[in-house]
């Protein structure tokens, strides 16, 4: 009887295996999330820069239209 595994212990080993697999999947997803966060840190800086360029272009266009309609 000492060589046989008890059913309770077998269930416990199966549960431990499932938990380890789930933890490995979670770790994999967290690594992918970290990579995406690193890649997206550049995005806000470029977005701000583009917004500044667009604002300057709109101000320039507004000044040109003002000069056209209201010479003085």
């Amino acid at each position: 009887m000492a060589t046989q595994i008890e059913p309770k212990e077998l269930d416990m080993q199966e549960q431990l295996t499932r938990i380890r697999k789930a933890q490995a999947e979670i770790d994999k997803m967290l690594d992918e999330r970290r990579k995406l966060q690193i890649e997206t840190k550049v995005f806000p800086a470029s977005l701000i820069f583009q917004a500044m360029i667009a604002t300057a272009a709109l101000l320039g266009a507004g000044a040109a239209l003002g000069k056209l309609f209201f010479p003085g």
Side-chain angles (χ1 to χ4, degrees):
M1 283 205 131
T3 58
Q4 292 181 348
I5 300 174
E6 294 182 24
K8 287 184 179 179
E9 188 175 325
L10 185 61
D11 290 339
M12 183 87 81
Q13 291 296 328
E14 184 180 339
Q15 289 177 357
L16 285 172
T17 304
R18 286 185 197 158
I19 291 170
R20 287 184 183 122
K21 285 181 183 179
Q23 187 63 42
E25 289 178 15
I26 290 170
D27 289 341
K28 184 178 176 182
M29 283 192 262
L30 286 174
D31 287 340
E32 290 175 11
R33 181 175 170 238
R34 285 186 198 113
K35 288 178 186 177
L36 287 174
Q37 283 179 334
I38 290 171
E39 290 175 3
T40 57
K41 283 186 179 182
V42 177
F43 180 71
S46 65
L47 183 66
I48 292 170
F49 183 68
Q50 289 174 357
M52 289 171 45
I53 291 174
T55 303
L58 288 173
L59 288 173
L65 286 174
K67 202 70 153 148
L68 179 67
F69 290 120
F70 305 106

